[in-house]
Amino acid sequence: MKMRILLPIVLAIAAFASGCSNTMRGAGQDIERGGEKIQQKAG
């Protein structure tokens, strides 16, 4: 009975986590580009 409840929850968390990794990577790249632009203006 617990497996019927636990399995869908675990799968949902795994799907959510895999979707967030691309979003966080993209956000990190955007922040990095912004920092590079600031360094170029300052230097």
mmCIF file of all heavy atoms in Angstrom:
data_model
loop_
_atom_site.group_PDB
_atom_site.id
_atom_site.type_symbol
_atom_site.label_atom_id
_atom_site.label_comp_id
_atom_site.label_asym_id
_atom_site.label_seq_id
_atom_site.Cartn_x
_atom_site.Cartn_y
_atom_site.Cartn_z
ATOM 1 N N MET A 1 0.809 -1.190 0.000
ATOM 2 C CA MET A 1 0.000 0.000 0.000
ATOM 3 C C MET A 1 0.858 1.261 0.000
ATOM 4 O O MET A 1 0.593 2.196 -0.728
ATOM 5 C CB MET A 1 -0.924 -0.030 1.222
ATOM 6 C CG MET A 1 -1.872 1.122 1.287
ATOM 7 S SD MET A 1 -3.096 0.991 -0.022
ATOM 8 C CE MET A 1 -4.128 2.344 0.368
ATOM 9 N N LYS A 2 1.915 1.268 0.798
ATOM 10 C CA LYS A 2 2.788 2.431 0.858
ATOM 11 C C LYS A 2 3.520 2.647 -0.471
ATOM 12 O O LYS A 2 3.790 3.775 -0.846
ATOM 13 C CB LYS A 2 3.784 2.295 1.999
ATOM 14 C CG LYS A 2 3.173 2.487 3.352
ATOM 15 C CD LYS A 2 4.215 2.453 4.442
ATOM 16 C CE LYS A 2 3.570 2.640 5.793
ATOM 17 N NZ LYS A 2 4.530 2.656 6.870
ATOM 18 N N MET A 3 3.843 1.548 -1.156
ATOM 19 C CA MET A 3 4.534 1.684 -2.444
ATOM 20 C C MET A 3 3.643 2.350 -3.487
ATOM 21 O O MET A 3 4.130 3.067 -4.343
ATOM 22 C CB MET A 3 5.003 0.317 -2.949
ATOM 23 C CG MET A 3 6.248 -0.183 -2.274
ATOM 24 S SD MET A 3 7.630 0.953 -2.511
ATOM 25 C CE MET A 3 8.198 0.380 -4.091
ATOM 26 N N ARG A 4 2.353 2.124 -3.419
ATOM 27 C CA ARG A 4 1.422 2.750 -4.366
ATOM 28 C C ARG A 4 1.391 4.262 -4.181
ATOM 29 O O ARG A 4 1.133 4.997 -5.123
ATOM 30 C CB ARG A 4 0.024 2.188 -4.194
ATOM 31 C CG ARG A 4 -0.134 0.818 -4.768
ATOM 32 C CD ARG A 4 -1.565 0.403 -4.728
ATOM 33 N NE ARG A 4 -1.741 -0.870 -5.396
ATOM 34 C CZ ARG A 4 -2.885 -1.492 -5.495
ATOM 35 N NH1 ARG A 4 -3.960 -0.969 -4.950
ATOM 36 N NH2 ARG A 4 -2.969 -2.633 -6.125
ATOM 37 N N ILE A 5 1.645 4.711 -2.985
ATOM 38 C CA ILE A 5 1.659 6.147 -2.702
ATOM 39 C C ILE A 5 3.061 6.711 -2.929
ATOM 40 O O ILE A 5 3.221 7.784 -3.492
ATOM 41 C CB ILE A 5 1.201 6.406 -1.256
ATOM 42 C CG1 ILE A 5 -0.249 5.964 -1.091
ATOM 43 C CG2 ILE A 5 1.366 7.869 -0.879
ATOM 44 C CD1 ILE A 5 -0.735 5.957 0.333
ATOM 45 N N LEU A 6 4.057 5.981 -2.498
ATOM 46 C CA LEU A 6 5.431 6.461 -2.535
ATOM 47 C C LEU A 6 5.983 6.558 -3.959
ATOM 48 O O LEU A 6 6.655 7.543 -4.296
ATOM 49 C CB LEU A 6 6.318 5.546 -1.693
ATOM 50 C CG LEU A 6 7.755 6.001 -1.487
ATOM 51 C CD1 LEU A 6 7.780 7.334 -0.779
ATOM 52 C CD2 LEU A 6 8.515 4.962 -0.674
ATOM 53 N N LEU A 7 5.712 5.602 -4.796
ATOM 54 C CA LEU A 7 6.276 5.574 -6.144
ATOM 55 C C LEU A 7 5.876 6.798 -6.978
ATOM 56 O O LEU A 7 6.756 7.447 -7.550
ATOM 57 C CB LEU A 7 5.904 4.267 -6.850
ATOM 58 C CG LEU A 7 6.532 4.067 -8.232
ATOM 59 C CD1 LEU A 7 8.040 4.047 -8.135
ATOM 60 C CD2 LEU A 7 6.019 2.780 -8.848
ATOM 61 N N PRO A 8 4.607 7.170 -7.055
ATOM 62 C CA PRO A 8 4.268 8.369 -7.833
ATOM 63 C C PRO A 8 4.893 9.652 -7.280
ATOM 64 O O PRO A 8 5.284 10.538 -8.042
ATOM 65 C CB PRO A 8 2.746 8.445 -7.748
ATOM 66 C CG PRO A 8 2.300 7.095 -7.388
ATOM 67 C CD PRO A 8 3.406 6.482 -6.604
ATOM 68 N N ILE A 9 5.030 9.724 -5.968
ATOM 69 C CA ILE A 9 5.658 10.899 -5.360
ATOM 70 C C ILE A 9 7.126 10.975 -5.753
ATOM 71 O O ILE A 9 7.629 12.035 -6.133
ATOM 72 C CB ILE A 9 5.487 10.870 -3.824
ATOM 73 C CG1 ILE A 9 4.011 11.066 -3.476
ATOM 74 C CG2 ILE A 9 6.343 11.932 -3.160
ATOM 75 C CD1 ILE A 9 3.689 10.870 -2.015
ATOM 76 N N VAL A 10 7.822 9.861 -5.685
ATOM 77 C CA VAL A 10 9.236 9.822 -6.059
ATOM 78 C C VAL A 10 9.408 10.162 -7.542
ATOM 79 O O VAL A 10 10.306 10.926 -7.919
ATOM 80 C CB VAL A 10 9.862 8.447 -5.723
ATOM 81 C CG1 VAL A 10 11.245 8.313 -6.313
ATOM 82 C CG2 VAL A 10 9.894 8.248 -4.225
ATOM 83 N N LEU A 11 8.549 9.631 -8.387
ATOM 84 C CA LEU A 11 8.634 9.934 -9.819
ATOM 85 C C LEU A 11 8.359 11.401 -10.099
ATOM 86 O O LEU A 11 9.018 12.016 -10.950
ATOM 87 C CB LEU A 11 7.661 9.046 -10.603
ATOM 88 C CG LEU A 11 8.023 7.561 -10.657
ATOM 89 C CD1 LEU A 11 6.912 6.786 -11.357
ATOM 90 C CD2 LEU A 11 9.347 7.341 -11.350
ATOM 91 N N ALA A 12 7.410 11.981 -9.395
ATOM 92 C CA ALA A 12 7.103 13.403 -9.582
ATOM 93 C C ALA A 12 8.282 14.274 -9.153
ATOM 94 O O ALA A 12 8.635 15.241 -9.842
ATOM 95 C CB ALA A 12 5.854 13.777 -8.800
ATOM 96 N N ILE A 13 8.909 13.931 -8.051
ATOM 97 C CA ILE A 13 10.076 14.693 -7.585
ATOM 98 C C ILE A 13 11.224 14.563 -8.584
ATOM 99 O O ILE A 13 11.905 15.546 -8.892
ATOM 100 C CB ILE A 13 10.500 14.221 -6.180
ATOM 101 C CG1 ILE A 13 9.440 14.640 -5.164
ATOM 102 C CG2 ILE A 13 11.858 14.785 -5.791
ATOM 103 C CD1 ILE A 13 9.629 14.042 -3.785
ATOM 104 N N ALA A 14 11.447 13.380 -9.118
ATOM 105 C CA ALA A 14 12.513 13.172 -10.098
ATOM 106 C C ALA A 14 12.245 13.970 -11.372
ATOM 107 O O ALA A 14 13.160 14.579 -11.931
ATOM 108 C CB ALA A 14 12.644 11.687 -10.416
ATOM 109 N N ALA A 15 11.005 13.982 -11.825
ATOM 110 C CA ALA A 15 10.667 14.741 -13.031
ATOM 111 C C ALA A 15 10.851 16.233 -12.792
ATOM 112 O O ALA A 15 11.372 16.961 -13.651
ATOM 113 C CB ALA A 15 9.232 14.434 -13.449
ATOM 114 N N PHE A 16 10.438 16.706 -11.637
ATOM 115 C CA PHE A 16 10.588 18.124 -11.303
ATOM 116 C C PHE A 16 12.057 18.505 -11.231
ATOM 117 O O PHE A 16 12.470 19.539 -11.766
ATOM 118 C CB PHE A 16 9.894 18.409 -9.966
ATOM 119 C CG PHE A 16 9.998 19.834 -9.533
ATOM 120 C CD1 PHE A 16 9.243 20.818 -10.147
ATOM 121 C CD2 PHE A 16 10.848 20.195 -8.506
ATOM 122 C CE1 PHE A 16 9.331 22.135 -9.741
ATOM 123 C CE2 PHE A 16 10.951 21.508 -8.094
ATOM 124 C CZ PHE A 16 10.189 22.481 -8.714
ATOM 125 N N ALA A 17 12.871 17.671 -10.602
ATOM 126 C CA ALA A 17 14.298 17.963 -10.452
ATOM 127 C C ALA A 17 15.004 17.967 -11.801
ATOM 128 O O ALA A 17 15.868 18.808 -12.055
ATOM 129 C CB ALA A 17 14.945 16.946 -9.516
ATOM 130 N N SER A 18 14.653 17.066 -12.692
ATOM 131 C CA SER A 18 15.311 17.037 -14.003
ATOM 132 C C SER A 18 14.897 18.245 -14.832
ATOM 133 O O SER A 18 15.696 18.767 -15.618
ATOM 134 C CB SER A 18 14.980 15.739 -14.740
ATOM 135 O OG SER A 18 13.610 15.710 -15.103
ATOM 136 N N GLY A 19 13.695 18.726 -14.675
ATOM 137 C CA GLY A 19 13.261 19.925 -15.388
ATOM 138 C C GLY A 19 13.938 21.173 -14.858
ATOM 139 O O GLY A 19 14.234 22.106 -15.607
ATOM 140 N N CYS A 20 14.214 21.212 -13.580
ATOM 141 C CA CYS A 20 14.836 22.397 -12.977
ATOM 142 C C CYS A 20 16.315 22.512 -13.319
ATOM 143 O O CYS A 20 16.844 23.620 -13.320
ATOM 144 C CB CYS A 20 14.682 22.352 -11.465
ATOM 145 S SG CYS A 20 13.018 22.669 -10.918
ATOM 146 N N SER A 21 16.971 21.423 -13.602
ATOM 147 C CA SER A 21 18.403 21.503 -13.856
ATOM 148 C C SER A 21 18.695 22.346 -15.088
ATOM 149 O O SER A 21 19.632 23.148 -15.085
ATOM 150 C CB SER A 21 19.007 20.108 -14.009
ATOM 151 O OG SER A 21 18.492 19.468 -15.166
ATOM 152 N N ASN A 22 17.899 22.210 -16.141
ATOM 153 C CA ASN A 22 18.116 23.028 -17.327
ATOM 154 C C ASN A 22 17.813 24.493 -17.051
ATOM 155 O O ASN A 22 18.515 25.374 -17.536
ATOM 156 C CB ASN A 22 17.246 22.526 -18.488
ATOM 157 C CG ASN A 22 17.723 21.206 -19.025
ATOM 158 O OD1 ASN A 22 18.900 20.893 -18.938
ATOM 159 N ND2 ASN A 22 16.819 20.432 -19.583
ATOM 160 N N THR A 23 16.785 24.754 -16.270
ATOM 161 C CA THR A 23 16.428 26.129 -15.946
ATOM 162 C C THR A 23 17.530 26.794 -15.132
ATOM 163 O O THR A 23 17.904 27.935 -15.398
ATOM 164 C CB THR A 23 15.106 26.163 -15.155
ATOM 165 O OG1 THR A 23 14.114 25.503 -15.926
ATOM 166 C CG2 THR A 23 14.672 27.564 -14.853
ATOM 167 N N MET A 24 18.049 26.100 -14.150
ATOM 168 C CA MET A 24 19.103 26.665 -13.311
ATOM 169 C C MET A 24 20.386 26.862 -14.103
ATOM 170 O O MET A 24 21.092 27.841 -13.904
ATOM 171 C CB MET A 24 19.361 25.760 -12.100
ATOM 172 C CG MET A 24 18.199 25.716 -11.135
ATOM 173 S SD MET A 24 17.709 27.339 -10.537
ATOM 174 C CE MET A 24 19.105 27.716 -9.505
ATOM 175 N N ARG A 25 20.686 25.952 -15.017
ATOM 176 C CA ARG A 25 21.869 26.099 -15.856
ATOM 177 C C ARG A 25 21.738 27.347 -16.724
ATOM 178 O O ARG A 25 22.676 28.123 -16.861
ATOM 179 C CB ARG A 25 22.070 24.865 -16.727
ATOM 180 C CG ARG A 25 23.322 24.956 -17.594
ATOM 181 C CD ARG A 25 23.502 23.719 -18.435
ATOM 182 N NE ARG A 25 23.678 22.562 -17.562
ATOM 183 C CZ ARG A 25 23.367 21.319 -17.883
ATOM 184 N NH1 ARG A 25 22.852 21.059 -19.064
ATOM 185 N NH2 ARG A 25 23.558 20.324 -17.058
ATOM 186 N N GLY A 26 20.566 27.543 -17.301
ATOM 187 C CA GLY A 26 20.329 28.718 -18.134
ATOM 188 C C GLY A 26 20.420 30.008 -17.341
ATOM 189 O O GLY A 26 20.984 31.000 -17.799
ATOM 190 N N ALA A 27 19.882 30.000 -16.138
ATOM 191 C CA ALA A 27 19.963 31.186 -15.284
ATOM 192 C C ALA A 27 21.415 31.478 -14.923
ATOM 193 O O ALA A 27 21.837 32.638 -14.924
ATOM 194 C CB ALA A 27 19.130 30.982 -14.021
ATOM 195 N N GLY A 28 22.175 30.453 -14.642
ATOM 196 C CA GLY A 28 23.596 30.636 -14.328
ATOM 197 C C GLY A 28 24.366 31.216 -15.500
ATOM 198 O O GLY A 28 25.225 32.088 -15.329
ATOM 199 N N GLN A 29 24.049 30.764 -16.699
ATOM 200 C CA GLN A 29 24.715 31.303 -17.889
ATOM 201 C C GLN A 29 24.354 32.763 -18.099
ATOM 202 O O GLN A 29 25.216 33.579 -18.461
ATOM 203 C CB GLN A 29 24.338 30.475 -19.115
ATOM 204 C CG GLN A 29 24.934 29.088 -19.116
ATOM 205 C CD GLN A 29 24.415 28.222 -20.243
ATOM 206 O OE1 GLN A 29 23.448 28.568 -20.915
ATOM 207 N NE2 GLN A 29 25.047 27.074 -20.452
ATOM 208 N N ASP A 30 23.100 33.127 -17.884
ATOM 209 C CA ASP A 30 22.672 34.518 -18.026
ATOM 210 C C ASP A 30 23.386 35.421 -17.021
ATOM 211 O O ASP A 30 23.846 36.510 -17.366
ATOM 212 C CB ASP A 30 21.160 34.644 -17.844
ATOM 213 C CG ASP A 30 20.383 34.014 -18.981
ATOM 214 O OD1 ASP A 30 20.985 33.781 -20.056
ATOM 215 O OD2 ASP A 30 19.183 33.748 -18.796
ATOM 216 N N ILE A 31 23.492 34.959 -15.793
ATOM 217 C CA ILE A 31 24.174 35.744 -14.758
ATOM 218 C C ILE A 31 25.649 35.896 -15.100
ATOM 219 O O ILE A 31 26.234 36.968 -14.934
ATOM 220 C CB ILE A 31 23.979 35.089 -13.375
ATOM 221 C CG1 ILE A 31 22.505 35.183 -12.967
ATOM 222 C CG2 ILE A 31 24.882 35.721 -12.323
ATOM 223 C CD1 ILE A 31 22.129 34.340 -11.772
ATOM 224 N N GLU A 32 26.248 34.823 -15.611
ATOM 225 C CA GLU A 32 27.664 34.882 -15.986
ATOM 226 C C GLU A 32 27.890 35.886 -17.108
ATOM 227 O O GLU A 32 28.828 36.671 -17.072
ATOM 228 C CB GLU A 32 28.141 33.494 -16.420
ATOM 229 C CG GLU A 32 29.621 33.439 -16.740
ATOM 230 C CD GLU A 32 30.086 32.039 -17.113
ATOM 231 O OE1 GLU A 32 29.271 31.101 -17.038
ATOM 232 O OE2 GLU A 32 31.268 31.900 -17.467
ATOM 233 N N ARG A 33 27.016 35.872 -18.117
ATOM 234 C CA ARG A 33 27.140 36.842 -19.215
ATOM 235 C C ARG A 33 26.987 38.273 -18.710
ATOM 236 O O ARG A 33 27.704 39.168 -19.155
ATOM 237 C CB ARG A 33 26.088 36.555 -20.293
ATOM 238 C CG ARG A 33 26.544 35.490 -21.254
ATOM 239 C CD ARG A 33 25.593 35.392 -22.432
ATOM 240 N NE ARG A 33 25.102 34.017 -22.456
ATOM 241 C CZ ARG A 33 23.860 33.630 -22.536
ATOM 242 N NH1 ARG A 33 22.898 34.502 -22.642
ATOM 243 N NH2 ARG A 33 23.542 32.364 -22.529
ATOM 244 N N GLY A 34 26.063 38.470 -17.777
ATOM 245 C CA GLY A 34 25.889 39.802 -17.200
ATOM 246 C C GLY A 34 27.145 40.257 -16.469
ATOM 247 O O GLY A 34 27.562 41.414 -16.582
ATOM 248 N N GLY A 35 27.767 39.357 -15.721
ATOM 249 C CA GLY A 35 29.008 39.678 -15.021
ATOM 250 C C GLY A 35 30.141 39.996 -15.982
ATOM 251 O O GLY A 35 30.950 40.902 -15.736
ATOM 252 N N GLU A 36 30.206 39.282 -17.096
ATOM 253 C CA GLU A 36 31.240 39.548 -18.102
ATOM 254 C C GLU A 36 31.057 40.931 -18.720
ATOM 255 O O GLU A 36 32.028 41.651 -18.948
ATOM 256 C CB GLU A 36 31.220 38.469 -19.182
ATOM 257 C CG GLU A 36 31.727 37.118 -18.689
ATOM 258 C CD GLU A 36 31.524 36.014 -19.715
ATOM 259 O OE1 GLU A 36 30.958 36.266 -20.792
ATOM 260 O OE2 GLU A 36 31.950 34.873 -19.415
ATOM 261 N N LYS A 37 29.813 41.314 -18.989
ATOM 262 C CA LYS A 37 29.537 42.648 -19.550
ATOM 263 C C LYS A 37 29.974 43.749 -18.571
ATOM 264 O O LYS A 37 30.547 44.753 -18.963
ATOM 265 C CB LYS A 37 28.049 42.801 -19.868
ATOM 266 C CG LYS A 37 27.542 41.872 -20.931
ATOM 267 C CD LYS A 37 27.973 42.318 -22.282
ATOM 268 C CE LYS A 37 27.329 41.390 -23.316
ATOM 269 N NZ LYS A 37 27.781 41.654 -24.657
ATOM 270 N N ILE A 38 29.693 43.529 -17.285
ATOM 271 C CA ILE A 38 30.100 44.515 -16.272
ATOM 272 C C ILE A 38 31.609 44.628 -16.220
ATOM 273 O O ILE A 38 32.167 45.739 -16.136
ATOM 274 C CB ILE A 38 29.514 44.135 -14.896
ATOM 275 C CG1 ILE A 38 27.987 44.295 -14.914
ATOM 276 C CG2 ILE A 38 30.129 44.967 -13.786
ATOM 277 C CD1 ILE A 38 27.298 43.718 -13.705
ATOM 278 N N GLN A 39 32.317 43.497 -16.302
ATOM 279 C CA GLN A 39 33.785 43.523 -16.281
ATOM 280 C C GLN A 39 34.330 44.247 -17.500
ATOM 281 O O GLN A 39 35.314 44.987 -17.410
ATOM 282 C CB GLN A 39 34.331 42.107 -16.231
ATOM 283 C CG GLN A 39 34.166 41.443 -14.878
ATOM 284 C CD GLN A 39 34.704 40.011 -14.859
ATOM 285 O OE1 GLN A 39 35.002 39.443 -15.892
ATOM 286 N NE2 GLN A 39 34.806 39.438 -13.677
ATOM 287 N N GLN A 40 33.718 44.050 -18.654
ATOM 288 C CA GLN A 40 34.167 44.721 -19.868
ATOM 289 C C GLN A 40 33.992 46.235 -19.742
ATOM 290 O O GLN A 40 34.858 47.001 -20.160
ATOM 291 C CB GLN A 40 33.396 44.208 -21.092
ATOM 292 C CG GLN A 40 33.768 42.801 -21.482
ATOM 293 C CD GLN A 40 32.867 42.258 -22.594
ATOM 294 O OE1 GLN A 40 31.923 42.897 -23.023
ATOM 295 N NE2 GLN A 40 33.174 41.045 -23.047
ATOM 296 N N LYS A 41 32.869 46.664 -19.198
ATOM 297 C CA LYS A 41 32.618 48.103 -19.025
ATOM 298 C C LYS A 41 33.586 48.719 -18.001
ATOM 299 O O LYS A 41 34.021 49.849 -18.156
ATOM 300 C CB LYS A 41 31.176 48.349 -18.551
ATOM 301 C CG LYS A 41 30.130 47.932 -19.552
ATOM 302 C CD LYS A 41 29.982 48.944 -20.643
ATOM 303 C CE LYS A 41 28.875 48.487 -21.595
ATOM 304 N NZ LYS A 41 28.694 49.393 -22.683
ATOM 305 N N ALA A 42 33.918 47.973 -16.955
ATOM 306 C CA ALA A 42 34.783 48.474 -15.918
ATOM 307 C C ALA A 42 36.252 48.496 -16.342
ATOM 308 O O ALA A 42 37.026 49.321 -15.901
ATOM 309 C CB ALA A 42 34.641 47.650 -14.632
ATOM 310 N N GLY A 43 36.613 47.547 -17.223
ATOM 311 C CA GLY A 43 38.027 47.390 -17.592
ATOM 312 C C GLY A 43 38.409 48.158 -18.739
ATOM 313 O O GLY A 43 38.963 49.070 -19.076
#
